Amino acid sequence: MERFRIVGGRRLRGEVTISGAKNAALPCLAATLLTREPVTLSNLPRVRDILTMEKVLVTLGATCHHENGSTSVLAGDVSAFHAPYELVSTMRASILVLGPLLASRRRARVALPGGCAIGARPVDLHLAALARLGARLFLEHGDIVAEAPYGLHGADITFPRITVTGTENLLMAATLARGVTVLRNCAREPEVADLARMLVAMGARIQGIGSDTLEIHGVEGLAGVHHRVIPDRIEAGTYVIAAALAGDGVRVRACEPAHLTALLATLGEAGVAVEVGEGFLYVPPVTCLAATSVTTAEYPGFATDLQAQYLTLMTQAQGRCRIREAIFENRFQHVLELKRLGARIEVEGDCAIVEGPVTLDGTVVMASDLRASAALVLAGLVARGETILQRIYHLDRGYEAMEAKLNALGAEIHRFNPGPYR
Ligand code: EPZ
């Protein structure tokens, strides 16, 4: 399995370009199942999760064609409805085909996603809400079997808990349901709004985009579309944090600063005065970094997907701070690895208490999930000596060419394969 060798102490300067948002691209790819006409999606990041979702669509009878960073998908008029375990188990977001399949093909069979490193990740809220639209759902041999022989009908649904992909699944399903669907306590992540805008461009009737209440008037059918997905705010936030950690002036371009207000406010408190421009952020060299506590929250709060990266930054900040993970029950896998590098962190329940600044010493560490691996790359940038990061396949799921982008800024990261049996 491939690894990174990261040479610590290299300073970052210059400009990095942000790719399209993985978590916008995934629901938009699933939405191609809602029409028999061709859909072209552009600004898709070249990351493994996107390839996996395309494999799921092909398994469901679609054709996918790549050209110049765009993917054209033709779901066509097919009756396939089974998303198999061998694909779903590699990417939980495959659950996003459930709503579109029910809406367009009136049945679906999707392997029940297992848990992952950051938590149990149940999908009970998706299933309960789809049942309210008239679907009959049951589990069979580890698969979710869903049927709506007479089609879906509108309903007034309040999510008991905010769920990003749950909101996206129901939004897609409701576009073709008979009558009006009102979804309340919806996720307000920018990726949800991006999906909604794509659906409207396909002919869907959706009100309340960007708010926590979405009203959808079902239509007979949807047309094809060319949609460009939004920039990846988590990738952008990751490079902003990297620049605060090891930068001598870094410009993060092709991003949407308005999607990062919580991170920028927290960094401002910590002494990182990020300059906001039109489609870019500039991170000046940081002279004094102050420990600053934060609690993760649903958007527009501090993103849980930036918690691990921010925690790495706080190992270099002056003082003690408390980082509370309020979204997932087990999202501190990176802490044990950071402690191997010498970080002073104690986990108490849903909080990590970080003391800094601490000199980190390079050693061998292991990635456990997508954002934890990003946090360990950042730590390797400032650790003394060399850091070997194992299992970087986690990183390749959601970061396009991370080592190339960081090396272009001045980092020294080598990707290598230690050979068989290691
Ligand atoms: C999305 O996951 C993102 N993935 C995650 O990004 C992100 O961390 C998460 O939202 C929170 O922002 C994609 O968009 C593909 P949730 P999702 O449903 O939708 C509980 C990354 O690194 N819950 O909003 O699966 C759940 O366990 C990934 O790119 C239920 O209990 O997250 C969690 O505690 C990681 N029942 C909370 O709600 C359900 O049916 C929020 O989960 C659904 C969720």
Side-chain angles (χ1 to χ4, degrees):
M1 280 191 267
E2 289 186 318
R3 298 175 184 180
F4 273 172
R5 180 167 64 85
I6 306 165
V7 178
R10 300 286 192 275
R11 301 292 293 170
L12 306 180
R13 60 180 65 78
E15 187 170 274
V16 60
T17 299
I18 298 305
S19 304
K22 164 182 83 82
N23 289 350
L26 291 172
C28 288
L29 280 165
T32 62
L33 294 167
L34 292 167
T35 178
R36 294 171 184 156
E37 297 177 12
V39 173
T40 299
L41 293 173
S42 54
N43 198 33
L44 293 188
R46 287 185 298 282
V47 296
R48 207 150 55 83
D49 276 6
I50 300 303
L51 299 177
T52 304
M53 180 60 90
E54 289 175 357
K55 281 183 198 162
V56 172
L57 295 178
V58 169
T59 305
L60 293 168
T63 54
C64 290
H65 173 66
H66 288 283
E67 196 166 357
N68 310 324
S70 294
T71 292
S72 295
V73 182
L74 180 59
D77 177 14
V78 292
S79 55
F81 61 92
H82 182 195
Y85 179 75
E86 54 270 16
L87 282 175
V88 175
S89 58
T90 66
M91 187 188 63
R92 330 172 14 72
S94 312
I95 191 72
L96 283 165
V97 303
L98 184 58
L101 283 174
L102 263 177
S104 60
R105 299 179 192 175
R106 300 191 168 185
R107 59 181 179 166
R109 186 179 189 106
V110 180
L112 187 65
C116 71
I118 64 178
R121 310 286 301 273
V123 291
D124 55 317
L125 303 180
H126 300 234
L127 306 185
L130 288 169
R132 294 287 318 283
L133 295 187
R136 193 169 77 84
L137 303 110
F138 56 94
L139 291 185
E140 187 178 78
H141 307 311
D143 289 343
I144 301 162
V145 180
E147 297 162 349
Y150 308 105
L152 299 174
H153 59 69
D156 191 317
I157 300 170
T158 299
F159 286 106
R161 173 169 191 175
I162 292 173
T163 162
V164 174
T165 49
T167 299
E168 291 164 344
N169 240 333
L170 270 290
L171 176 59
M172 290 186 281
T175 57
L176 298 179
R178 282 188 315 282
V180 180
T181 299
V182 180
L183 301 176
R184 302 178 196 277
N185 198 28
C186 293
R188 293 165 53 199
E189 272 67 3
E191 295 77 25
V192 177
D194 196 43
L195 170 67
R197 283 190 292 271
M198 173 186 166
L199 293 169
V200 166
M202 293 168 73
R205 293 175 55 201
I206 303 169
Q207 292 161 357
I209 295 175
S211 80
D212 65 358
T213 303
L214 296 170
E215 183 172 310
I216 304 103
H217 292 243
V219 294
E220 281 301 309
L222 295 177
V225 71
H226 179 165
H227 178 74
R228 178 181 175 81
V229 300
I230 55 172
D232 193 319
R233 62 191 168 95
I234 304 302
E235 184 194 23
T238 302
Y239 287 114
V240 166
I241 293 171
L245 198 58
D248 287 335
V250 175
R251 185 186 175 99
V252 178
R253 63 174 298 282
C255 69
E256 178 44 79
H259 293 163
L260 287 162
T261 48
L263 173 68
L264 299 182
T266 304
L267 290 177
E269 278 181 61
V272 184
V274 179
E275 295 164 28
V276 176
E278 186 67 35
F280 73 88
L281 294 164
Y282 176 73
V283 187
V286 175
T287 49
C288 176
L289 197 57
T292 304
S293 297
V294 76
T295 298
T296 64
E298 295 89 354
Y299 192 88
F302 191 98
T304 175
D305 292 350
L306 289 172
Q307 177 260 104
Q309 301 91 311
Y310 180 77
L311 197 154
T312 293
L313 179 66
M314 287 297 106
T315 68
Q316 303 306 303
Q318 187 69 42
R320 169 193 293 213
C321 67
R322 174 184 295 265
I323 297 173
R324 181 166 174 256
E325 173 52 61
I327 303 293
F328 289 108
E329 68 269 26
N330 187 35
R331 202 170 197 175
F332 285 131
Q333 304 284 309
H334 41 289
V335 168
L336 291 177
E337 299 305 306
L338 288 169
K339 291 178 80 160
R340 282 179 49 74
L341 293 166
R344 280 212 302 273
I345 312 167
E346 290 310 322
V347 174
E348 296 169 8
D350 61 359
C351 288
I353 316 295
V354 188
E355 289 267 3
V358 169
T359 300
L360 301 180
D361 279 314
T363 185
V364 181
V365 288
M366 190 180 292
S368 57
D369 62 85
L370 172 55
R371 307 304 174 183
S373 40
L376 294 172
V377 172
L378 300 190
L381 294 177
V382 292
R384 272 190 311 209
E386 292 189 349
T387 297
I388 303 296
L389 176 58
Q390 298 180 331
R391 301 188 179 178
I392 55 171
Y393 61 84
H394 289 291
L395 203 66
D396 293 337
R397 294 191 51 172
Y399 285 95
E400 180 175 342
M402 188 177 211
E403 73 267 34
K405 292 188 179 186
L406 285 171
N407 288 343
L409 288 172
E412 185 179 344
I413 303 175
H414 306 276
R415 179 187 289 255
F416 70 100
N417 191 325
Y421 319 119
R422 288 182 63 197

